[in-house]
Amino acid sequence: FQTTMDVAAEDSDQMPSGFHAKAAAKAARLRREAAKLASASALESPGGIESRPGEWAPTQSKLLRRVAVAARPGHFELSLQYGPYSVAYDTTGRLLALCGRGGHVAAFEWRQKRLMFESQVNEPCHALTWVGAGSTPQLAVAHSNWTYIYDAQGLELHCLKRLHKANKLFWLPRHWLLAACTDTGHLHWQDVSTGQTVASYCGHHGPLRVSALHPDSGCVLTGQPNGQLCIWTPLEKRPVVKMLCCPAGVRAVATAPAGHAVYTLGGDSRLRVWDIRCLRPLSVSDSGADAASIRLFDAAPQLAVSQRGLLACPVRQGAALMVLPAGGAKPLLSHPSPGRLSDLAFCPWEDVLAFGHARGLGSVLVPGSGEPNPDGAVHPLSGKRQRREAEVRGLLDKLPPETIAPPAVGGGVNAVDAEGIEEALARKRAAVMALPSDEVRQFQPRRRSGKASGELNRKVGERWQRRRMELRQLLKSKKRVLAEMGDEGADAAGGRKTKKAKKVSQSGELTKPATGTFLDRLIPKAD
């Protein structure tokens, strides 16, 4: 006799009972799910371009013949007539928006080429950015005067008049803040969740047309015509850091999405890389005497940095696009532009670069630019429910503006002053809940001598009261005197009235009364 525990059969038909067959099927299903999870969690290696010595950078036609079919939608070209255009991707890398100086605003899903909305606002648009990362994304567009927020259907939701003449808009997803730099030289931070203005300062250096956002710290960086790079936070009216980066004016600033590198392009056409933690230059070239900078001839004032550290910049006065690696000056990719380049933007989680120019919008493939492994946050493959949950989670975990600060000088980790925040809250709580002191409770307001004073009103009232009493006494005395005089005194006092009555009785006809009205004209006149 063989027991059921000794039976070892892979096929469920050979099992002695239904219980063992179900257990074997469940074990097989768990093994398949574990294998599937292990394959899904395996990290993918990022792509890249490997060029041999003496070879030219590959063109887009060569790349399209060698990339996968799923990556080919990243290469397209749109010819539009309301340029030059500015472009912006959302945090998931799924949506692409554009706005032109001619008032053209549009948003679409660039993979499926599905248009979300398109409108003509009939005024110049200078900058745009996506606000929020949930199931209902919103688009902030800087018009010629004010900043407007549109929904996914293109309907106007808000008009931010405080953000006046903005030329750069930045979205801080961890703090839910909308930062803006304006042509009037002001910096604004607007809380999107509550609608309140967190801070608004004047830069005192003219129009802030060169600016960038550091994603890790949330600070706003501005370039000045005197060559200084200023770092701003909502808590300080003055820049917390001033650093001389270029001997000439700063023409463009860009920051790495992951890391602490800051790229500056000066008026001398030199590209420099700085470490924002220790405020020191980093090497961008392995050869040459000046390893901290490289020369970019005829470079236009636009820069963009990808998640993997690739740098894109226009050359030949904006007529061509060049992509540089993180540790060298030899370009990896070059692409001509139909018009003068006006804006650059790398797509998150994808090897795609979008650029706006005077004649429309273009997108090219840049292998190795995007991060292939999402960090668990909202990514292009997330569904509508996941994006909605991420939006709620972001609102619950929203950081206060006090946490925006540059990294500590010397490479330290920026920490929040928890003790200082607790002391400030304790002071506010004590000021609200404190009881009035004995001096405050015993305080008596000083009486002022004026028209609105109670003492003056009291005196005036007493004076009129005395006058009324005097008039009453005079009337009483007059009546008493008339009563003592008798009928003669009464006739003498009322002779005029008696005469009028006798006159009316003798005539026997109606005459006008002493007091007339507008009906007196109807009374017949006496002959």
Side-chain angles (χ1 to χ4, degrees):
F1 180 75
Q2 187 179 8
T3 60
T4 57
M5 300 300 296
D6 297 332
V7 176
E10 296 180 359
D11 192 2
S12 61
D13 298 336
Q14 300 178 5
M15 290 294 174
S17 65
F19 172 77
H20 295 87
K22 292 180 180 180
K26 183 177 180 180
R29 180 172 56 83
L30 291 177
R31 286 194 297 269
R32 289 194 301 270
E33 291 180 357
K36 185 178 180 180
L37 182 62
S39 62
S41 60
L43 297 179
E44 297 182 3
S45 60
I49 300 176
E50 295 181 0
S51 60
R52 299 176 181 177
E55 291 185 353
W56 291 92
T59 59
Q60 289 294 308
S61 59
K62 293 182 179 180
L63 290 176
L64 289 175
R65 290 195 297 266
R66 289 172 172 82
V67 299
V69 178
R72 293 180 181 177
H75 177 78
F76 60 89
E77 182 73 29
L78 298 177
S79 298
L80 305 172
Q81 58 181 348
Y82 298 103
Y85 280 88
S86 299
V87 295
Y89 285 99
D90 66 335
T91 54
T92 63
R94 185 174 58 95
L95 306 178
L96 177 61
L98 56 95
C99 68
R101 301 299 185 272
H104 182 211
V105 181
F108 62 97
E109 296 182 5
W110 62 271
R111 287 187 184 88
Q112 294 81 12
K113 304 300 185 293
R114 185 176 68 86
L115 182 64
M116 298 176 62
F117 75 90
E118 183 180 12
S119 62
Q120 175 60 249
V121 297
N122 296 324
E123 59 177 329
C125 299
H126 302 281
L128 77 165
T129 184
W130 288 96
V131 177
S135 58
T136 57
Q138 300 175 2
L139 184 64
V141 182
H143 291 208
S144 59
N145 287 328
W146 302 322
T147 300
Y148 294 84
I149 296 182
Y150 302 92
D151 63 353
Q153 287 75 31
L155 300 178
E156 180 184 332
L157 299 179
H158 306 284
C159 176
L160 306 178
K161 295 186 178 181
R162 191 66 180 269
L163 308 185
H164 180 61
K165 293 186 178 181
N167 53 37
K168 288 285 185 178
L169 296 176
F170 306 106
W171 166 242
L172 283 69
R174 299 177 184 175
H175 306 81
W176 281 77
L177 296 179
L178 178 63
C181 298
T182 65
D183 288 336
T184 59
H186 290 78
L187 291 94
H188 305 280
W189 285 268
Q190 188 88 14
D191 194 336
V192 178
S193 59
T194 60
Q196 298 178 354
T197 300
V198 176
S200 180
Y201 304 135
C202 181
H204 301 285
H205 287 89
L208 301 176
R209 294 172 181 168
V210 180
S211 57
L213 175 69
H214 192 259
D216 287 349
S217 61
C219 301
V220 177
L221 288 73
T222 59
Q224 309 299 341
N226 56 3
Q228 289 184 350
L229 180 67
C230 300
I231 302 178
W232 299 82
T233 62
L235 302 181
E236 298 291 338
K237 295 184 179 181
R238 299 291 180 179
V240 294
V241 175
K242 281 187 178 182
M243 180 175 57
L244 184 62
C245 295
C246 307
V250 180
R251 299 179 60 193
V253 179
T255 58
H260 302 281
V262 177
Y263 298 81
T264 60
L265 180 63
D268 54 353
S269 299
R270 283 195 172 273
L271 178 68
R272 297 174 174 85
V273 187
W274 306 84
D275 192 343
I276 195 175
R277 297 170 296 179
C278 56
L279 306 180
R280 293 181 181 178
L282 298 177
S283 177
V284 295
S285 178
D286 298 333
S287 61
D290 191 4
S293 65
I294 57 176
R295 188 71 177 270
L296 298 177
F297 295 96
D298 298 333
Q302 284 90 26
L303 294 175
V305 185
S306 68
Q307 292 178 328
R308 301 286 301 177
L310 299 184
L311 177 68
C313 61
V315 293
R316 288 185 290 175
Q317 297 296 331
L321 177 67
M322 184 174 64
V323 179
L324 300 175
K330 184 179 179 180
L332 295 178
L333 186 67
S334 180
H335 181 72
S337 175
R340 183 179 177 85
L341 292 172
S342 57
D343 196 11
L344 302 171
F346 277 98
C347 180
W349 321 112
E350 294 288 344
D351 297 340
V352 176
L353 171 64
F355 57 92
H357 52 82
R359 297 183 180 180
L361 170 69
S363 179
V364 295
L365 300 177
V366 183
S369 62
E371 179 65 38
N373 304 306
D375 55 356
V378 178
H379 52 84
L381 301 180
S382 59
K384 184 176 181 180
R385 181 177 179 181
Q386 187 176 359
R387 292 194 300 269
R388 183 168 58 249
E389 292 178 354
E391 183 178 8
V392 176
R393 193 181 304 111
L395 283 172
L396 294 176
D397 299 338
K398 184 181 70 171
L399 298 177
E402 290 79 7
T403 58
I404 299 178
V409 178
V413 179
N414 182 29
V416 179
D417 187 9
E419 296 181 358
I421 294 176
E422 290 294 337
E423 291 179 0
L425 292 176
R427 287 195 300 269
K428 291 182 179 179
R429 193 180 299 108
V432 172
M433 303 300 295
L435 296 175
S437 60
D438 296 338
E439 296 181 359
V440 175
R441 287 197 295 265
Q442 297 176 2
F443 172 74
Q444 295 293 335
R446 181 175 60 89
R447 294 183 179 275
R448 297 180 300 173
S449 59
K451 294 183 179 180
S453 175
E455 184 69 19
L456 181 60
N457 294 337
R458 185 181 61 82
K459 293 180 179 180
V460 172
E462 292 179 355
R463 188 185 308 161
W464 282 103
Q465 187 68 18
R466 290 195 301 267
R467 186 172 181 180
R468 284 195 296 270
M469 294 299 294
E470 292 177 358
L471 291 175
R472 289 178 182 177
Q473 295 294 335
L474 290 176
L475 290 175
K476 289 181 180 180
S477 60
K478 185 176 180 180
K479 289 181 180 180
R480 186 172 58 254
V481 170
L482 292 176
E484 293 176 354
M485 292 177 61
D487 297 338
E488 295 180 359
D491 295 341
R496 187 176 180 181
K497 186 176 180 180
T498 307
K499 186 176 181 181
K500 281 187 177 182
K502 288 181 179 180
K503 182 178 181 181
V504 172
S505 61
Q506 291 178 1
S507 60
E509 297 178 358
L510 293 176
T511 57
K512 289 185 180 181
T515 58
T517 61
F518 71 97
L519 296 177
D520 295 344
R521 66 187 68 183
L522 302 178
I523 300 176
K525 296 182 180 180
D527 294 335

